[in-house]
Amino acid sequence: MKLVDRKKQKIGLALGSGAARGLSHIGILKALKERNISIDMIAGSSMGAFIGACYARKGEIADIEEIILKTDWKQLARLADPHLSLLFKGVIHGKKVKELLRTIIGDIEFKDLKIPLAVVATDVNTGEEVIIKRGSVIEAVRASISIPAIFMPVQFKNRFLIDGGIVNPVPVSVVKDMGAEFVIACNVIHKPQKRRKSFSSVREQKPLASVLNTQPRSAGRITLNNKINKLVQDNKGKLENLEKFISVFKKKFRKGSQRVASDTPNIFDVILQAIYAMEYEIAKLKIKDANVVITPDTGHIATLEFYRGREAIARGYKAAKDAVF
């Protein structure tokens, strides 16, 4: 389907959830911008909310692309801020993640954005879709990216919120309600399949930044890296405590685990794959109301393989050109 003579229509962009696969939204935005396709409003769920917020701030995508490509994701994984006392409410409390979001997006409110944005989250108690369009952008994005059981739910007014992809993984309906007359849906949720990498293997991956060190560093990247370094150092004690706890836990239950098949998925793999399967079925219904659906070929990228950002962005760029132009 082609975008022809759409200048008189209000164009809305629905950016879907998908964790690392959602980085392909950057490539999609690059392709749209190259063709001077102006986006009038954006709705995002989970990773789509994060990328949408970055773009809506100034209507530019170059800065966030540089950050994604040049960030040491192995180091960034250490920004997890687990609290042993809150372990049964979520593995990651999220305070450090929130500080990182503030560094990347800025401490701004929705009214300060250049492009109108709606962020989708889920009320964990009622299962309702919660659409956030006012107040702090950071608070909204932090809620929308909160994967159940991994991130602790975010208290937002009188609600507790989790990942927006649970109820609306590709928020076409939300951007239409904002006034969009022509909707471009970006869907990175493919048919579930067995993943090569598990949640627990992320820290073992070689960071993409290691092959980019010879490139000039922008002031934005230097600032971000300095911030990450500080956050990692501040967080070192908590991570060491968690590692000791896990070590004791493993030793205590080692005998029992020997009776279980070695390739049995761990709890995080099960949670992530179950969520993904559910979102896949919902997304199939949600995208039917879009005028154009862009589906990058990113099914082989596992949930937390953020170090494959260059590949995800390239797939998004190609898919946008194939679908729209």
Side-chain angles (χ1 to χ4, degrees):
M1 184 179 295
K2 307 293 183 180
L3 276 179
V4 181
D5 298 327
R6 299 293 179 184
K7 293 183 178 181
K8 294 182 180 180
Q9 290 184 302
K10 292 182 179 180
I11 298 177
L13 189 64
L15 298 177
S17 59
R21 292 177 292 272
L23 295 178
S24 60
H25 295 328
I26 296 172
I28 292 171
L29 284 163
K30 281 183 63 178
L32 295 177
K33 196 168 183 63
E34 281 183 7
R35 299 298 182 180
N36 295 316
I37 297 174
S38 179
I39 302 301
D40 297 296
M41 57 206 70
I42 302 170
S45 289
S46 199
M47 179 54 72
F50 169 66
I51 300 298
C54 292
Y55 186 74
R57 184 183 179 188
K58 296 180 180 179
E60 298 291 340
I61 201 62
D63 288 347
I64 184 60
E65 180 182 19
E66 181 183 30
I67 289 170
I68 294 301
L69 292 181
K70 296 183 178 180
T71 292
D72 185 337
W73 290 98
K74 184 176 180 179
Q75 182 186 27
L76 198 61
R78 298 189 66 83
L79 285 181
D81 55 346
H83 287 245
L84 295 183
S85 62
L86 301 174
L87 192 60
F88 294 103
K89 294 183 182 294
V91 175
I92 300 174
H93 181 269
K95 182 179 179 181
K96 299 298 181 182
V97 173
K98 183 177 174 180
E99 291 180 34
L100 181 65
L101 290 175
R102 182 177 289 108
T103 301
I104 297 174
I105 300 173
D107 195 4
I108 57 175
E109 297 196 353
F110 282 85
K111 63 182 178 62
D112 301 318
L113 297 173
K114 182 177 180 180
I115 301 172
L117 172 71
V119 170
V120 180
T122 304
D123 186 315
V124 70
N125 291 317
T126 66
E128 294 177 286
E129 177 183 72
V130 178
I131 302 170
I132 308 173
K133 296 188 287 187
R134 295 182 180 83
S136 169
V137 175
I138 299 303
E139 292 288 348
V141 173
R142 165 68 181 86
S144 188
I145 65 173
S146 295
I147 301 173
I150 296 176
F151 284 92
M152 193 170 78
V154 175
Q155 187 169 6
F156 185 84
K157 297 181 180 179
N158 62 336
R159 296 175 180 265
F160 286 95
L161 305 182
I162 57 173
D163 198 321
I166 300 297
V167 289
N168 199 343
V170 189
V172 173
S173 57
V174 176
V175 79
K176 290 186 74 172
D177 288 343
M178 293 172 72
E181 299 167 318
F182 189 90
V183 177
I184 303 172
C186 305
N187 177 33
V188 298
I189 304 175
H190 301 265
K191 186 175 181 179
Q193 58 185 345
K194 184 177 181 180
R195 301 294 173 193
R196 296 184 301 100
K197 305 295 182 182
S198 68
F199 176 92
S200 58
S201 67
V202 174
R203 290 176 57 187
E204 301 171 2
Q205 308 305 327
K206 182 178 180 181
L208 180 62
S210 64
V211 299
L212 295 170
N213 289 336
T214 58
Q215 297 186 12
R217 299 193 301 168
S218 69
R221 182 194 169 196
I222 293 172
T223 299
L224 179 64
N225 283 346
N226 289 340
K227 182 68 172 180
I228 292 173
N229 288 334
K230 184 178 185 303
L231 291 175
V232 168
Q233 289 303 313
D234 292 344
N235 211 37
K236 187 176 180 181
K238 292 179 181 178
L239 286 170
E240 289 176 347
N241 289 337
L242 179 66
E243 287 169 356
K244 290 178 182 178
F245 174 83
I246 292 174
S247 178
V248 172
F249 186 87
K250 285 182 177 179
K251 290 179 181 178
K252 186 174 181 180
F253 290 94
R254 184 171 294 167
K255 291 183 179 180
S257 65
Q258 291 175 350
R259 296 192 293 270
V260 179
S262 60
D263 60 347
T264 301
N266 64 47
I267 187 172
F268 296 112
D269 290 327
V270 172
I271 291 171
L272 292 174
Q273 193 71 346
I275 292 171
Y276 190 81
M278 177 182 64
E279 290 186 355
Y280 171 73
E281 294 299 328
I282 298 174
K284 287 195 300 183
L285 299 176
K286 296 292 185 180
I287 62 176
K288 289 181 178 180
D289 292 329
N291 299 94
V292 170
V293 179
I294 302 175
T295 307
D297 183 14
T298 55
H300 58 289
I301 298 178
T303 304
L304 299 179
E305 290 183 334
F306 289 97
Y307 69 97
R308 300 178 73 172
R310 183 182 298 280
E311 182 181 357
I313 292 171
R315 297 292 178 112
Y317 181 83
K318 182 181 184 302
K321 295 192 72 173
D322 291 345
V324 178
F325 310 120

